[in-house]
Amino acid sequence: MCYRKYSDFLKEKFGEKVYKLPVKLNLTCPNRDGTCGWGGCIFCGEEGGSFENNFGSIESQLLKNKELIKRKYKAKKYISYFQNFTNTYMPIEEFKSSINRSLIEDVVGLSISTRPDCLGEKYLDFLEEINKNYFVTVELGLQTTNYHSLKKLNRGHGLSEFVDACIKLKNRGINICAHVIIGLPWDNDLDIIECAKMLNVLGVDEVKIHALYIIKGTLLGNMYEKGEINTISLEDYKRKVILFLRHLKDDIIVERIIGRAPEENSLFCNWDTSWWKIRDDIITNMKENNYCQGDLVKGE
């Protein structure tokens, strides 16, 4: 394979395929409630990054998804995935309770989505303790290392907060996954290369790559409808993903190179092309040109 696949990594680590069980909670973010901003990120809809799951108790969500995946794939091991909004923004005792309730039978790990500016010491202490018995990954929304773009996205944090979060998690031995958007209107090729280099330097363990999708009713959606922003072409997206991967160290795990979006609520989503077709085209291009993850990394 021309890049290090997440599924392969999990199989190596646990001896068999491992599947994620999404959990959706009624949460918010500090840049929605006025703590560090209002309205949230300009691309974020009301689902908060999760559209494949419905609300319900933590246990019921996990058991329902577990049964579906077990029946379809004969799965035996799972990761509880706290997916939407900022999961370390809830009160600490509520956070502890939510995590403990997710440790159902056959769960071997936890994946927790959050912001780099929402990792208090009490949350880190708790996750460090859980990490002794379960494989814990904290997924940090970065999106870009271009701090001008971060401002335009209304992220409510800069690059320094991401660096600080990575250092804290590394010091505690907790796995880090960075979310990156490729195709932002304000980022060029140098920004993409610098993003890969920053993840290398910080020792990030995993990365999730997303294309920019545009949801109805968001500020980004309003900008798109008014013609205030342009999206890149599909071919340019594929080229930029390859550029990013070639500058990314080959030991960093790649969870995905294209994401999915709720098409019924989207103004723009993956160029009306299936995510797997885009993924396969990227892989084919890399193989045909003898490209691989990390082949442009210098100094090794």
Side-chain angles (χ1 to χ4, degrees):
M1 177 56 71
C2 44
Y3 63 88
R4 192 178 183 203
K5 289 179 62 177
Y6 181 61
S7 57
D8 292 342
F9 161 74
L10 290 178
K11 193 170 183 179
E12 291 167 8
K13 183 173 181 63
F14 294 103
E16 59 187 285
K17 295 197 74 173
V18 181
Y19 294 83
K20 280 188 172 180
L21 302 174
V23 178
K24 184 176 183 178
L25 302 180
N26 187 19
L27 302 174
T28 187
C29 288
N31 67 335
R32 280 179 168 258
D33 65 8
T35 301
C36 65
W38 296 98
C41 303
I42 66 172
F43 56 79
C44 189
E46 293 305 312
E47 299 292 331
S50 172
F51 63 92
E52 296 175 306
N53 224 34
N54 295 316
F55 287 118
S57 71
I58 291 171
E59 295 86 349
S60 65
Q61 290 183 60
L62 290 172
L63 290 172
K64 178 181 178 181
N65 287 318
K66 178 181 174 181
E67 183 60 32
L68 289 172
I69 294 172
K70 185 176 183 179
R71 186 165 62 246
K72 186 173 182 179
Y73 299 108
K74 311 299 182 185
K76 298 178 181 178
K77 294 180 180 178
Y78 307 89
I79 291 173
S80 293
Y81 179 25
F82 289 81
Q83 186 176 12
N84 65 316
F85 288 120
T86 305
N87 286 275
T88 56
Y89 193 50
M90 69 178 97
I92 182 62
E93 293 305 321
E94 184 180 341
F95 178 72
K96 288 180 179 180
S97 174
S98 297
I99 295 300
N100 285 327
R101 287 164 59 194
S102 77
L103 301 177
I104 64 173
E105 185 179 5
D106 301 323
V107 164
V108 295
L110 294 164
S111 191
I112 301 162
S113 294
T114 191
R115 290 165 54 88
D117 57 347
C118 285
L119 284 173
E121 291 301 315
K122 292 181 180 179
Y123 299 84
L124 290 167
D125 289 343
F126 177 69
L127 291 176
E128 184 177 16
E129 191 65 27
I130 293 292
N131 197 44
K132 294 177 182 178
N133 298 305
Y134 296 88
F135 177 59
V136 176
T137 298
V138 171
E139 298 195 9
L140 296 174
L142 170 61
Q143 319 315 345
T144 175
T145 52
N146 181 333
Y147 53 87
H148 297 293
S149 295
L150 290 173
K151 182 71 173 178
K152 291 179 184 295
L153 290 172
N154 193 40
R155 284 292 298 169
H157 68 78
L159 181 57
S160 59
E161 286 84 355
F162 178 77
V163 173
D164 182 57
C166 288
I167 292 171
K168 288 177 179 177
L169 290 166
K170 275 291 173 184
N171 287 341
R172 294 172 183 267
I174 298 172
N175 206 60
I176 305 167
C177 177
H179 286 223
V180 173
I181 296 175
I182 290 183
L184 292 173
W186 314 282
D187 285 5
N188 58 30
D189 284 3
L190 290 178
D191 293 309
I192 290 166
I193 293 170
E194 191 65 20
C195 184
K197 289 181 176 180
M198 182 63 73
L199 300 187
N200 294 343
V201 168
L202 291 172
V204 165
D205 303 285
E206 304 173 11
V207 62
K208 272 186 178 178
I209 305 170
H210 301 259
L212 180 66
Y213 59 81
I214 303 174
I215 303 297
K216 296 175 184 176
T218 61
L219 183 56
L220 185 68
N222 294 337
M223 294 168 66
Y224 179 73
E225 289 182 307
K226 292 177 183 177
E228 295 174 356
I229 60 167
N230 295 313
T231 57
I232 64 173
S233 69
L234 176 54
E235 290 308 311
D236 203 27
Y237 176 77
K238 296 174 188 176
R239 182 188 65 80
K240 288 177 183 289
V241 169
I242 293 172
L243 183 68
F244 177 85
L245 290 174
R246 297 185 70 197
H247 284 90
L248 189 72
K249 289 178 66 176
D250 61 8
D251 61 345
I252 295 178
I253 301 148
V254 181
E255 278 216 34
R256 62 171 59 134
I257 56 177
I258 183 74
R260 290 181 288 174
E263 295 180 14
E264 65 276 9
N265 294 319
S266 298
L267 296 170
F268 177 83
C269 175
N270 292 348
W271 300 270
D272 295 322
T273 304
S274 63
W275 66 269
W276 55 264
K277 172 69 165 56
I278 297 172
R279 178 202 62 192
D280 290 352
D281 285 350
I282 291 171
I283 292 171
T284 298
N285 186 305
M286 293 183 75
K287 287 180 177 179
E288 288 177 347
N289 289 282
N290 293 318
Y291 297 149
C292 64
Q293 180 181 338
D295 64 6
L296 293 180
V297 173
K298 299 178 181 179
E300 292 190 314

